[in-house]
Each structure stands twice: as structure tokens, then as C-alpha cells.
Amino acid sequence: MSGSTVRVRPATGRPHRVLVVGGGFGGLYAARRLSRDARVQLTLVDRRNFHLFQPLLYQVATGALSPGEIAQPLRSIFRKRLNTTVLLGEAVSLDPDRRQVGMSDGGPIAYDTLIVATGVRHSYFGHDEWAANAPGLKSIDDATEIRRRILIAFEAAEREADPIRRTEWMTFVVVGGGPTGAELAGALGEIARDTLKRDFRSIDPTHARIVLVEAMDRVLPPYPKGRSASARRQLERLGVTVRTSTKVVGVDDRSVHLEVDGVEERLPARTILWAAGVQASTFARVVAEATGAETDRAGRIVVGPDLTIPGHPEIFVVGDVAAQSWPGHDRPVPGVAQGAIQGGTYVANTILGRLTAGGGEPRPFRYFNRGEVAIIGRLSGVTDIPWLGPFGRQGGFIAWLLWLGIHLTYLIGFGNRVVVITRWAWSFLTHGRSSRLITGQPLLPPIQEPEPPATRAVHPEIDPNRPTP
Amino acid sequence: MSGSTVRVRPATGRPHRVLVVGGGFGGLYAARRLSRDARVQLTLVDRRNFHLFQPLLYQVATGALSPGEIAQPLRSIFRKRLNTTVLLGEAVSLDPDRRQVGMSDGGPIAYDTLIVATGVRHSYFGHDEWAANAPGLKSIDDATEIRRRILIAFEAAEREADPIRRTEWMTFVVVGGGPTGAELAGALGEIARDTLKRDFRSIDPTHARIVLVEAMDRVLPPYPKGRSASARRQLERLGVTVRTSTKVVGVDDRSVHLEVDGVEERLPARTILWAAGVQASTFARVVAEATGAETDRAGRIVVGPDLTIPGHPEIFVVGDVAAQSWPGHDRPVPGVAQGAIQGGTYVANTILGRLTAGGGEPRPFRYFNRGEVAIIGRLSGVTDIPWLGPFGRQGGFIAWLLWLGIHLTYLIGFGNRVVVITRWAWSFLTHGRSSRLITGQPLLPPIQEPEPPATRAVHPEIDPNRPTP
């Protein structure tokens, strides 16, 4: 191992070229650390021109925040770091021998050290045909699309006279009971029970049916059992129907097909949101094929204890796209922001250590679980913070407060932080969600049965066909 | 006339059905007033589910604000007004005899009084084929598309090696020197000179060329000549090239074709923004055809002094979609927010007056020009406020302050107001624009010449083909 470590040290006095692919948490934290060191010449490549604060993405999808409030342009983060070049582009190939990454739209980029931080995307477990009817939540565009579907569903229910079809529009299914699914279902519960309560005239949004489907026997499977039970109670208090041990076996444009104890069941619903599975980004497969690296079932790259690909000490993999074993646990390091942040920082320090004369072998990466926090609607949530002992297992209001503090601390860009605090404070006081915009395709789908009454009964007590006086 | 006035009074004790088509300034202010009166049963129809504060739309297009910050859901504005129904939908036909408006997606809606407030859209003066290469700025989706084009242009210039093509990417043409065009050009000047100044490594954004093209002999034609001259000076100080008496005669994907004194000229530019002309919304033509109303050249409906269609005292037209004569002026009431707000309020009062026993004929609508204010970049702008006398003609900082106060006063939704103040304060202090997100299609157009160098020279001083040590 020490021979290869020497190999990545620069032989000359020229700066060490580091290429970071992906500007999520892992890539960003690695790049921020490296960009402060003049020995490094850094290139950061992303398909988007901004860093996205993904933990708050569900708040955009549910109209509480605006996209610009949880995103920060990468260029502005690195504007003062003159050793850093930000490039908008998509990495599509890797030549580990020539140490070059090929781009979809230009010549390849050479590196001395490569950091792969391309994250994950949704996985439909081999059923990609479900994607059209059950969008997932990974990008800003996903979030505005989900927001559009949720709002359109209430609009469609408002004008639908047929009670069965109205119920279909007012049924929302969230597939996947992990943190994203639970937070999404909680937010939907709040929208129906609180935000939209008085907005409609024909429907009562509080009658909306929100169903959270989870294949395992409890929600928030990474949390201890007690926390899962608490989360379930809080969800049910918000009107969410929690269905555990329930598998999704089919999705179409009018319903989701479930399987419970081997028995199939059709649940009619017009809005189905996918928060169930992830798979590694496409670039992970490219990297695995080019380097011969192992991947796990979700396509994540299996890395060594120093987060490099075995046999390639110059290629690091961080964040969700890496499958890192977590000593002492029966699961790998979870695919959450803190795992990526810690990985990114570790990798940056390892690279800088290699550039320092006499810098020894790095200690293996050790994930420190600072704890997990999810909020479920207004004023409530669950935490699991192991290092705080029993105090680390909170529910309700304290969990909610902790969540607030943690998310604001990590939100990049002070301006965004102030804006988000303002929005949250305002929403909290007014029970409102002011970013409830239907953008893109604004109109409702055409009414299905072509036999509407001669006149729409906007105010049922008035007969619109009565001759005007 | 008095006979027809009697005709629109309800013969029975049932509520008077008012249908408002369009939730812009005209429709919103009429509806807000009417929704406070129990004698009225109000339906507000819009194709979008939100009211858009259009005067700040250019700030979304230039990344200073996020879409949700200048829009307010219509349902939440009217949630407490139980006499009001908000419907998402598009009005497509009118039967003035049966007093019904047909919708694209359902049965017609009956009314006793109709308020048409559907606004205007861009006009390419018969050249709709220009639209693809020169988007206009009327909707949230327009704004995010323009934002995408502006940001992509700088990204493309950054990676473009050919100096001629790079100059094309760094040339921005704004067609139309009215308030929107001037504000857009000023904001572009600020982005190039200030916001992006240090963001790139290969290009210098301050070298961007911003050209404002106006067919008339001065910018801001509705303002007095002195104000136009002041605006021009301020634009030029921001690096904007102002070309007056210049007509656009062609637009393609690489250039705009100009005509000056009968001589044609091709100006290569990859980003062309349209702020030149407007025409009445499609529904205006429907209304004109159904009622026999006159329209002006831009398709706006010519209304009587009480803003009704002659012969149809039960149909009002307000805002930009109406062509209202402005006694004592050689131009009609301008198509600005205050014209629509005053029209909407006037119409609501007229309708309520008719419902009041003994309410006489309404006085004719009199537009009161509160003044016009445009800002041009940071800390500067022009005003024309006739009723303030000489003090009403300000330039520079005082104009900018006035603009700030006026726009915040009219921004609907207190929450939005606080968020917008925060964003502005933050941008002002940091010279930043944090909503610089490229959403939708994120990637650059493919590089045109298929002969890039073997390796992209990210850092020109490093030869990427040098064998790694």
C-alpha cells in the first residue's frame, strides 16, 4: 500500500490536480477543504450549477420553501478560491491509466487524484415503467413536479362531481417509510389538515387520505424500534395511514398495487410519490467498469477503509455512491448528509496529508453517527442521537427544535439561512405555505367522462339555467 | 343607458353572481373588494393557481428572487371569503345572451356580471417564429427559462475556446426599451459587472456586451424626455449599449437583425430577450367576437368611460386587456399595475353601487397617474411622478428608494414581503444573487465544431498530456 501512496505524490513542484465529480455534500465538503490549499489545483464538475441542500427538498415539494432557498450556486461558493475551477458538465467516462475523465460535451479532464461523489438516484427495483406515475424526489425539478401533482390533485378533486373519482384524487400514497417518505407523508398530512383546510368550497381537504407504504415491519427502519413506534404514532395523529409489511407490486396512473401477506390489493390513488429505493448514479457503473471495482446490489462502489477503490489509491469515492462498511454495525454507513460530509472532509485531509512531506498513512475513515432527526409535521419529530445516551431519543417538540437547528446550521449560504428562517417563522405563525405554485403544465387533465352537466354548478344553490331576469 | 343599468340589478333577493376571469392586478383588486360584500357571489377563474407580482418578474429572470417569493396562491388570498370560489381553469368561450363563460375543461360558468381581466402576452409583430430564439417575460416559466439562458450563456462562454464564438455567447440583446427592457438590461449589466465578476476562470464577465434595442428615439418612451436621457446615462454607466431608433427585422438562433436608417445590420448574439410588444390575451378576441366590441391594433378591447363594453353594461374589462382612453393625454391609460389596480377597484365599486338601492350612475373611470418608477441596476433609477411637481422627477438613489418602497407596499402576502426584504438586503450587502439556478434542461448545447483539443485545458498552464509521474 505504501508504494502506491508514494505514486500519487507529485514528483515536481507543480500543483496537484484534484478533480471532484459531483457537488453534493460529499463533493462540496471535500472541495471546500481542498480549495483552501495552494498546493492543490481543483476542478469541480457537476451537471447542475448549484449545490442542493437535499434534506429540505421535501419542503419544496410541499410548498413550504422556494427552490432558490435551498440551493446555492457552486460558482459563488468558490468565487474567491482562485485554485478552483467550477465546470457545468456531465462526466461520462473514465480512463484510470491516463487519469482522465471524459465529459459529454467536450474534451476529457486530466487529474492526479479523482474524487467520485455523484450520489444516487431513485430505484424502482427494475420497474422503471413506474417512474411516470410515481415520481421520486432527488432534484429541484422532481420537487416542483411533485408540488405540481399534489396541488393539481386537490384542484381536480374540487371540480370532480363523482364521489369515487373524487376520492381517487384525494388519495395520496407515499411509497417508502424511510426518513424522506415519513417527512413527505407528514408534510402532506399537514397540508391537508392545516394549510388547505379552508381553501376549497366543494371538498374538505381534511378528508384527504394519505397512505404511507413500507415493505418492512416499521417506519424509519434505521432508527431504534422505540423511535419507529413514536414516528408511527405522530404520523397517525396527522391523519396518515401507515401500512407496514406491505409491498408495492405495481403502479399505474390510477392506482398502486399492494401485496400484504401474499394477498394482492389495489389501492386507487391519483398521486403516488416514490421514496422507496435508491441506486448509484450512472457514473458509478462507469467507474466500476473502468477500475474493476466491486459494487453492491444498489450499484454503489465498495471502497477500502480509506475510501479509495482497492488498487487505485488515487480514486476516492465518497457519499451515497460509496458502500462503506460500518464496523460494529450490521448495516453500511447510511446514505445521509453527515456520512457524505464526513467522508468528503476525510478524503480532503487524506489528500493534503499525502502532499505533506512525512505525512504518514491516513487512519481509516470512521463514521461518527452524530444522530438522526426527522420531523413529522408541525412541532413534532423523532431523534436518535446515540452519543447523547437516553437523552438522544427524543420525540415531539424537542426533536422538532433539534431538527430546525441542525438544518439551519448546515444550510449553505448565510442569505439562504435568513430567508429560510423567515419563511419558517411565517409559515409557523400563519399555518401557511406560500410557495404553493403550480408551474410548468398548469392545467388540469381533461375531465374523463365527456358527459358533464350543461352548466357547472359552482354554487349548487343557484340554478344556472334559470333565465336571467 | 339607465334601462340597461336596471337590467343588471338582481330582481330577486339572491346573491349577484360575479365572474372574474384572470387573477392579475385588475382581477385580483376587483375580486378582493367584491369578496367583502355578502350580496355578491364571486367566482375567480385563472389558468394559474397564483397571483403573480409581475413588476418583480425580471428579478426572478435575473436570479435575485425565487419564483415563490413574488407569487401568492389565489386560494390563500380568498380562503376566508366564503362568498368566493377560486377555480383553476381556462376560459375559452362567451355566450353573452345566456351569460355564460365556457371553460376548456368542464361545463360553462353562469354570471350576472362578468369582469374580463385576462391581460396581455408578448407580441412579435406577426413574427411568431422569433419566439423560440427571443423569449419574452410574462410568466414564472418565462422567467426561469430566461434565467436558464442567461446563466447557460456564461457557462458556454467559459468553456468556449474560439474568441468569435465566445463573443457571441457573451452578447446579450434586450429588444424593447420600455420599463421591462430597461430594468432587464440594467439587471444584466449588474450581473456581468458585479455578481459574476469573480465567478469564472477563462472569461471575464465584465466584458459581456449588453445591447438594449429600441425602435423609438429614446428609452422609456412613456416618460418625459429628461427622464429618458437620465435612464440612458444610467444604463450606459452599467455598461449597457443603448441603441435607439433601431428596429429589429429578424431573429435567428445566432443573431438579431437590425435596421437603422434603412440599413440592415446583423448583430451576432446567443441570448436575445424580448420586451418589445404586447397583444391582448386570446380570451379578449373571444369576448370581442361574442359581443361585437371594438379592439385596437394590439387586440385590446375598447371600453366605455365606465369600463364596460358598449351595449353590455354587465361586462367589464379592466387592466392591460382594456384600451381605455385617457382624457388629456395622447396615449391610452398605460398597461401598468396601477392602471389595472385602479380599474379593478373602480369596477368593484360600480358593481356594488348598482346593488345598492338608489345607487346612481357611476362617475366615469378616471385614471390617476400616481407616477412611474423604474430601477436601473444598483442604487439607481428614474421616476416620473407628475403630482409631485418637479420633485417627482428623480434619478439615481432617490428613485431607487422610492421604487423599493412602492414595490414592497403592493407585494401581496406579508410573508413574501419579509422574505423579499431579506433577500434584497442580503444581495445589497454581498452584491450576490443567490437564486441563480439553472433548472429544467441543465446541460449546455453540444459544442458545435467536432474538433476540440484532445484534452480540455482546464488550467492552461498544465499540459494534461504530460505523462503522470
Side-chain angles (χ1 to χ4, degrees):
Chain A
M1 219 29 194
S2 73
S4 50
T5 306
V6 170
R7 196 163 66 91
V8 295
R9 270 193 199 137
T12 67
R14 71 162 170 76
H16 186 78
R17 293 169 304 178
V18 180
L19 171 60
V20 180
V21 182
F25 283 107
L28 180 70
Y29 276 78
R32 290 221 294 188
R33 179 92 185 76
L34 292 166
S35 69
R36 278 192 288 265
D37 198 300
R39 294 169 297 176
V40 170
Q41 203 147 41
L42 185 70
T43 304
L44 174 60
V45 166
D46 198 291
R47 288 186 301 171
R48 294 282 172 180
N49 73 329
F50 51 83
H51 167 74
L52 175 64
F53 194 81
Q54 265 194 8
L56 291 181
L57 197 53
Y58 83 95
Q59 297 219 349
V60 173
T62 53
L65 295 175
S66 226
E69 291 157 7
I70 60 160
Q72 187 71 0
L74 288 169
R75 290 198 183 283
S76 74
I77 298 174
F78 292 99
R79 63 189 314 181
K80 290 184 186 165
R81 308 290 168 81
L82 294 179
N83 70 338
T84 304
T85 302
V86 175
L87 274 185
L88 184 71
E90 184 168 9
V92 290
S93 66
L94 170 65
D95 182 340
D97 298 328
R98 302 187 64 191
R99 297 195 180 172
Q100 289 183 352
V101 168
M103 306 295 293
S104 68
D105 58 354
I109 301 174
Y111 62 83
D112 298 314
T113 298
L114 173 66
I115 302 176
V116 177
T118 46
V120 289
R121 53 199 174 90
H122 333 295
S123 163
Y124 292 91
F125 307 123
H127 291 280
D128 286 350
E129 71 276 13
W130 297 353
N133 293 312
L137 184 59
K138 278 283 163 203
S139 71
I140 289 277
D141 293 291
D142 291 345
T144 49
E145 171 61 18
I146 287 179
R147 181 176 74 183
R148 195 182 72 80
R149 290 192 185 213
I150 294 170
L151 296 172
I152 283 277
F154 283 105
E155 298 288 342
E158 169 85 348
R159 62 159 201 179
E160 180 61 70
D162 180 81
I164 292 175
R165 288 198 296 268
R166 177 177 282 189
T167 304
E168 286 178 10
W169 279 117
M170 288 185 69
T171 305
F172 300 82
V173 179
V174 178
V175 183
T180 303
E183 291 187 327
L184 208 46
L188 273 168
E190 227 191 304
I191 288 177
R193 294 222 151 182
D194 206 6
T195 316
L196 298 181
K197 196 167 51 180
R198 285 184 297 195
D199 272 16
F200 293 88
R201 299 294 175 257
S202 308
I203 59 165
D204 181 349
T206 64
H207 293 165
R209 193 168 166 216
I210 296 140
V211 184
L212 180 63
V213 177
E214 167 60 45
M216 298 187 54
D217 63 351
R218 57 197 178 97
V219 294
L220 300 182
Y223 285 58
K225 284 201 171 152
R227 305 294 81 217
S228 292
S230 163
R232 184 183 187 126
R233 277 194 305 274
Q234 295 180 41
L235 283 164
E236 286 171 346
R237 215 175 299 141
L238 280 165
V240 176
T241 308
V242 180
R243 299 196 55 176
T244 47
S245 304
T246 304
K247 256 189 259 180
V248 170
V249 293
V251 172
D252 59 46
D253 63 339
R254 298 287 284 270
S255 62
V256 53
H257 297 261
L258 307 174
E259 193 189 289
V260 192
D261 294 330
V263 181
E264 211 172 300
E265 174 192 334
R266 179 176 174 272
L267 173 61
R270 299 298 291 249
T271 311
I272 301 157
L273 308 178
W274 192 261
V278 293
Q279 60 184 316
S281 58
T282 319
F283 190 61
R285 207 179 52 231
V286 170
V287 172
E289 278 168 13
T291 59
E294 253 184 277
T295 53
D296 70 0
R297 235 171 29 148
R300 288 177 297 199
I301 298 169
V302 178
V303 291
D306 61 351
L307 302 189
T308 62
I309 292 177
H312 285 280
E314 81 286 6
I315 304 182
F316 292 88
V317 187
V318 298
D320 295 6
V321 73
Q324 312 156 41
S325 67
W326 191 9
H329 290 77
D330 56 353
R331 53 174 175 142
V333 170
V336 294
Q338 55 170 330
I341 290 173
Q342 292 178 32
T345 309
Y346 167 86
V347 163
N349 287 333
T350 302
I351 293 170
L352 296 179
R354 288 177 181 177
L355 296 178
T356 305
E361 278 300 285
R363 275 187 292 185
F365 172 61
R366 279 194 71 96
Y367 173 62
F368 174 63
N369 181 10
R370 290 180 196 278
E372 298 179 35
V373 187
I375 63 168
I376 295 160
R378 188 182 169 79
L379 291 182
S380 81
V382 286
T383 69
D384 171 35
I385 308 176
W387 53 276
L388 280 181
F391 181 73
R393 292 192 289 278
Q394 295 290 341
F397 181 63
I398 293 176
W400 185 79
L401 268 187
L402 277 169
W403 182 94
L404 231 67
I406 292 168
H407 283 76
L408 284 173
T409 308
Y410 282 95
L411 189 59
I412 302 281
F414 180 71
N416 281 348
R417 225 168 278 165
V418 178
V419 167
V420 168
I421 290 175
T422 314
R423 275 231 184 264
W424 282 347
W426 184 250
S427 302
F428 182 76
L429 294 172
T430 62
H431 297 239
R433 289 166 181 267
S434 55
S435 296
R436 301 203 309 272
L437 315 185
I438 301 176
T439 52
Q441 178 57 253
L443 288 175
L444 300 175
I447 284 183
Q448 307 220 323
E449 266 65 5
E451 22 91 75
T455 317
R456 181 200 306 242
V458 169
H459 299 291
E461 70 274 30
I462 298 174
D463 174 12
N465 294 317
R466 177 209 312 223
T468 39
Chain B
M1 220 26 196
S2 73
S4 50
T5 306
V6 169
R7 195 164 65 91
V8 295
R9 270 193 197 133
T12 66
R14 71 162 169 80
H16 187 77
R17 292 169 304 176
V18 180
L19 171 60
V20 180
V21 182
F25 283 107
L28 180 70
Y29 276 78
R32 290 221 295 187
R33 179 90 185 79
L34 291 167
S35 68
R36 279 193 287 266
D37 199 301
R39 293 169 299 175
V40 170
Q41 202 147 42
L42 185 70
T43 304
L44 174 60
V45 166
D46 198 292
R47 286 188 302 171
R48 295 281 172 180
N49 72 328
F50 49 84
H51 167 73
L52 176 63
F53 193 80
Q54 266 194 6
L56 291 180
L57 197 53
Y58 84 95
Q59 297 220 350
V60 172
T62 54
L65 294 175
S66 229
E69 290 157 9
I70 60 160
Q72 187 70 0
L74 288 169
R75 290 199 184 281
S76 74
I77 299 174
F78 292 99
R79 63 189 313 182
K80 290 184 184 165
R81 306 294 169 79
L82 295 178
N83 71 335
T84 304
T85 302
V86 175
L87 274 186
L88 184 70
E90 185 169 11
V92 291
S93 67
L94 169 65
D95 183 340
D97 298 328
R98 300 187 67 188
R99 299 196 179 171
Q100 288 183 353
V101 168
M103 306 296 293
S104 68
D105 58 354
I109 302 174
Y111 63 83
D112 297 314
T113 298
L114 173 66
I115 301 176
V116 177
T118 47
V120 289
R121 54 200 174 91
H122 333 297
S123 163
Y124 292 90
F125 307 123
H127 291 279
D128 286 350
E129 70 277 12
W130 297 353
N133 293 311
L137 184 61
K138 278 283 163 203
S139 71
I140 288 278
D141 293 293
D142 291 344
T144 49
E145 170 63 15
I146 286 179
R147 181 175 75 183
R148 194 182 73 80
R149 290 191 186 213
I150 293 170
L151 296 171
I152 282 277
F154 283 105
E155 298 288 341
E158 169 85 347
R159 61 156 203 184
E160 178 62 69
D162 180 80
I164 292 176
R165 286 198 296 268
R166 179 177 280 188
T167 305
E168 286 178 10
W169 280 117
M170 288 185 69
T171 305
F172 299 82
V173 178
V174 179
V175 183
T180 301
E183 292 188 327
L184 208 45
L188 274 168
E190 224 191 305
I191 287 176
R193 296 221 148 183
D194 207 7
T195 315
L196 298 180
K197 197 167 52 183
R198 288 185 295 198
D199 272 16
F200 294 89
R201 299 294 174 257
S202 309
I203 60 165
D204 180 349
T206 64
H207 292 165
R209 196 172 163 213
I210 296 139
V211 185
L212 181 62
V213 177
E214 166 60 46
M216 298 187 58
D217 62 352
R218 56 195 178 94
V219 296
L220 300 182
Y223 285 60
K225 283 199 173 156
R227 304 295 80 217
S228 291
S230 163
R232 183 182 187 127
R233 278 194 307 274
Q234 296 180 40
L235 283 165
E236 286 171 347
R237 215 177 298 140
L238 280 166
V240 177
T241 309
V242 179
R243 300 196 54 175
T244 47
S245 305
T246 303
K247 255 190 261 178
V248 171
V249 293
V251 173
D252 59 46
D253 63 339
R254 298 288 283 269
S255 62
V256 54
H257 297 262
L258 307 174
E259 193 188 289
V260 191
D261 294 332
V263 181
E264 213 174 298
E265 176 193 333
R266 179 177 174 272
L267 174 60
R270 298 298 292 251
T271 311
I272 301 157
L273 308 178
W274 192 261
V278 293
Q279 60 184 318
S281 57
T282 318
F283 190 61
R285 207 178 52 232
V286 171
V287 172
E289 279 168 13
T291 59
E294 254 184 277
T295 54
D296 71 359
R297 235 169 29 145
R300 288 177 296 201
I301 298 169
V302 178
V303 291
D306 60 350
L307 303 188
T308 61
I309 294 178
H312 285 279
E314 80 286 9
I315 303 182
F316 292 88
V317 187
V318 298
D320 295 7
V321 72
Q324 312 156 41
S325 67
W326 192 9
H329 290 78
D330 57 353
R331 52 175 176 138
V333 170
V336 294
Q338 54 171 330
I341 290 173
Q342 292 177 33
T345 309
Y346 168 86
V347 164
N349 288 331
T350 303
I351 293 170
L352 296 179
R354 288 178 181 176
L355 296 179
T356 305
E361 279 301 286
R363 275 186 293 186
F365 173 60
R366 279 194 74 97
Y367 174 61
F368 174 63
N369 181 10
R370 290 180 196 277
E372 298 180 32
V373 187
I375 63 166
I376 295 160
R378 188 180 166 81
L379 289 182
S380 81
V382 286
T383 68
D384 171 34
I385 308 176
W387 53 277
L388 280 180
F391 180 74
R393 291 191 288 278
Q394 295 290 342
F397 181 63
I398 292 176
W400 185 80
L401 268 188
L402 276 170
W403 183 95
L404 231 69
I406 292 167
H407 283 76
L408 284 174
T409 307
Y410 282 94
L411 190 59
I412 301 283
F414 181 72
N416 281 348
R417 225 168 277 165
V418 178
V419 168
V420 168
I421 290 175
T422 314
R423 275 232 183 262
W424 281 348
W426 184 248
S427 302
F428 183 76
L429 293 173
T430 62
H431 296 239
R433 287 166 182 269
S434 54
S435 297
R436 302 203 308 275
L437 315 186
I438 301 176
T439 51
Q441 177 55 252
L443 288 176
L444 300 175
I447 283 183
Q448 307 219 325
E449 267 63 4
E451 20 92 80
T455 318
R456 181 200 308 240
V458 169
H459 300 291
E461 70 274 31
I462 298 174
D463 173 11
N465 294 317
R466 177 208 313 222
T468 40

